[in-house]
Amino acid sequence: MFDAVSLVRCDEYSKEKLDFAIGRVLEEIDGLSFVHEKMTIGIKVNLVAGMAPEKAATTEPLFLRTLCEKLILKGAKVVIGDSPGGIYTSAFVHGVYRACGLTDMVKELQGQYDDGENKVSLNEDFSVKNGEFPDAVSIKNFIYTGWLDNVDAIINVSKLKTHAMMGMSCAVKNMFGTIPGTTKPEYHMRFSNEQAFANVMVDLNEYFKPCLYLVDAIDGMEGNGPTAGEKRHIGCVLSSKKPYALDMVCADIIGMKLSEVPTLLAAKERGLGPDNVSEVTVCGDLQLSEIRVTDFKRATIHQSITFDGNGIIGKLQSKALMIVFNTKPNVKEKECIGCKKCHETCPAHAITMVRSDKANSGKGGMIPQIDRSKCIKCFCCQEFCPKGAMKVQYNPLGRFVNKVNHR
Ligand code: SF4
Ligand code: SF4
């Protein structure tokens, strides 16, 4: 049997509503039973990039603050951390903390609970460690962010978003932020197959074993997630002690099937996750049918998993489907500011910067050019483009079929 998932409506980021909703989801599953006095809890948030909370790409500060207050009241100390895309240094990550609204939030909270010792802080340890995980499917040896060794327990707080490579970014995918930003592209390259990459996420959840997971699905992101999509109101908060049933419920809320989310498929194949949402016990104040968003826009379709055919006919069919649904990163030149972030993050070194008259300024500038023969379609360039200029492009037939399919 899978761990229960609690689901409570929450329509806005106000103190009162968050306090109620987070309190209720935790109460339903006895979520804070592991917390004891003097414990240090690491909250692994989602700081994919330095983006304002209104963009709905990163953990909302008031949501986080509400959770921190509940932990502090139980006598725990809290450290908040993540490794965004980019260099894993104090200066860079502090820039991301600031942009995401966490620096001010933590300062206010420190003022509120000022008794000589910091009850809450942003992670300041930017060391990296070597991990060994013999039971892993993908990452038996890996590099991770050292701050996680200094805490007694981990809580994973994610956003519900689409993801160009993994279909959905939620509780399971959030653990990829335990890998230092500069190592992430290397792992995309090492595990360029979707299934192997999905197993990296499952391995990380199994290695670090967070004690609790919370999902902020008040405002999620649809379309070109996890950074370049559009904010989409969903209106709920979820929690569970394990991530797989939780992600299954989240996928169901935004109308995604198991076949569209490789991390769910990987968990199911390893006997860790459910086959479908009917296997999950959902508790709380809401029925799933009351919160489903049936027209949530996808980022892309995952041909390598969805279209596995057997026999000659099956293989021909899957080949045809792969052509129809083929996607690739493509730069919208007018929106590109020539910052080179895509060039720097591309794990396959498929991007070179070239001069173009069509660049953002209109007066000529540098834009990325993609060598398609090298591209492994990891969509890191799309994920880390600060202007949303790198788009996921379908071929026209795929775009049409996709539209009809998701109506
Ligand atoms: S061009 Fe983009 S999608 Fe292709 S390998 Fe580089 S980062 Fe990944
Ligand atoms: S596509 Fe995005 S990341 Fe790449 S240079 Fe242009 S603005 Fe920067």
Side-chain angles (χ1 to χ4, degrees):
M1 199 57 205
F2 301 102
D3 283 75
V5 175
S6 53
L7 168 66
V8 168
R9 188 179 291 285
C10 186
D11 275 322
E12 58 182 44
Y13 294 98
S14 68
K15 195 168 171 16
E16 192 190 344
K17 295 225 166 153
L18 285 167
D19 197 48
F20 174 78
I22 294 176
R24 281 287 299 122
V25 286
L26 294 177
E27 184 183 53
E28 279 288 334
I29 57 164
D30 203 9
L32 298 187
S33 57
F34 71 94
V35 182
H36 57 77
E37 237 175 298
K38 306 272 182 233
M39 192 179 198
T40 301
I41 294 177
I43 304 187
K44 160 67 186 81
V45 289
N46 184 335
L47 302 179
V48 60
M51 295 171 74
E54 306 76 66
K55 299 274 184 197
T58 52
T59 302
E60 213 283 334
L62 199 51
F63 187 101
L64 191 54
R65 180 179 177 144
T66 308
L67 174 63
C68 288
E69 284 175 338
K70 293 190 185 306
L71 295 169
I72 292 168
L73 287 175
K74 289 203 83 169
K77 280 175 81 169
V78 180
V79 182
I80 298 162
D82 193 18
S83 170
I87 47 173
Y88 189 56
T89 61
S90 172
F92 182 80
V93 178
H94 270 278
V96 175
Y97 290 154
R98 257 192 309 280
C100 296
L102 298 197
T103 310
D104 289 345
M105 182 279 281
V106 166
K107 241 184 231 159
E108 277 175 36
L109 211 44
Q110 285 171 342
Q112 187 180 329
Y113 293 96
D114 182 15
D115 63 354
E117 58 167 342
N118 274 346
K119 292 276 167 56
V120 58
S121 57
L122 292 164
N123 171 45
E124 299 282 354
D125 173 5
F126 298 98
S127 64
V128 297
K129 300 264 175 74
N130 290 309
E132 276 185 27
F133 189 21
D135 292 337
V137 170
S138 282
I139 46 158
K140 295 193 188 296
N141 295 289
F142 65 107
I143 296 170
Y144 65 95
T145 53
W147 74 280
L148 294 160
D149 284 355
N150 307 331
V151 300
D152 301 311
I154 299 171
I155 299 180
N156 173 328
V157 179
S158 58
K159 291 284 283 189
L160 177 48
K161 301 184 286 180
T162 48
H163 192 278
M165 190 186 183
M166 291 287 101
M168 180 181 85
S169 172
C170 201
V172 181
K173 172 70 179 60
N174 193 34
M175 289 308 279
F176 196 46
T178 59
I179 304 296
T182 29
T183 311
K184 285 181 188 175
E186 187 194 318
Y187 284 21
H188 271 287
M189 196 68 194
R190 240 170 94 190
F191 307 101
S192 55
N193 167 293
E194 262 178 8
Q195 246 160 323
F197 191 65
N199 270 309
V200 171
M201 309 305 138
V202 177
D203 287 342
L204 290 170
N205 280 276
E206 292 304 302
Y207 181 82
F208 288 106
K209 289 200 182 302
C211 293
L212 179 70
Y213 291 80
L214 274 124
V215 178
D216 165 9
I218 300 169
D219 285 336
M221 181 177 277
E222 65 176 2
N224 257 346
T227 53
E230 295 89 43
K231 178 162 82 177
R232 179 72 194 263
H233 186 68
I234 303 166
C236 61
V237 173
L238 303 97
S239 186
S240 187
K241 289 181 182 168
K242 286 269 161 59
Y244 313 112
L246 177 60
D247 270 11
M248 176 59 84
V249 171
C250 288
D252 185 76
I253 287 174
I254 59 173
M256 280 192 183
K257 304 177 196 90
L258 183 82
S259 58
E260 295 177 80
V261 186
T263 48
L264 284 179
L265 268 171
K268 189 205 92 173
E269 275 161 21
R270 289 165 71 163
L272 297 166
D275 202 5
N276 64 66
V277 78
S278 64
E279 292 178 13
V280 183
T281 305
V282 181
C283 52
D285 307 341
L286 252 185
Q287 299 291 318
L288 265 173
S289 56
E290 295 174 80
I291 199 78
R292 277 196 190 106
V293 184
T294 49
D295 59 347
F296 206 84
K297 289 188 208 133
R298 268 74 162 170
T300 187
I301 275 189
H302 303 282
Q303 59 267 37
S304 64
I305 284 181
T306 317
F307 309 133
D308 249 353
N310 288 322
I312 295 175
I313 302 285
K315 286 211 168 10
L316 281 172
Q317 275 175 345
S318 62
K319 188 109 191 146
L321 285 166
M322 280 172 76
I323 293 167
V324 170
F325 289 110
N326 191 22
T327 56
K328 58 184 180 186
N330 214 15
V331 67
K332 195 155 189 191
E333 292 160 343
K334 289 229 155 59
E335 292 176 25
C336 173
I337 55 165
C339 69
K340 294 192 194 169
K341 213 155 198 165
C342 53
H343 163 76
E344 285 158 8
T345 44
C346 176
H349 304 293
I351 297 178
T352 41
M353 299 301 291
V354 296
R355 197 158 286 285
S356 166
D357 291 343
K358 294 181 198 153
N360 179 271
S361 65
K363 296 174 193 148
M366 303 302 275
I367 58 160
Q369 190 175 63
I370 301 170
D371 179 343
R372 302 283 171 200
S373 65
K374 287 188 184 167
C375 175
I376 58 166
K377 296 188 181 171
C378 63
F379 294 97
C380 287
C381 50
Q382 180 257 349
E383 182 166 339
F384 297 116
C385 172
K387 292 288 163 192
M390 194 64 86
K391 310 286 183 191
V392 179
Q393 190 186 47
Y394 293 98
N395 79 35
L397 186 55
R399 203 159 45 231
F400 172 73
V401 177
N402 207 20
K403 213 171 179 175
V404 173
N405 189 34
H406 295 147
R407 247 178 215 159

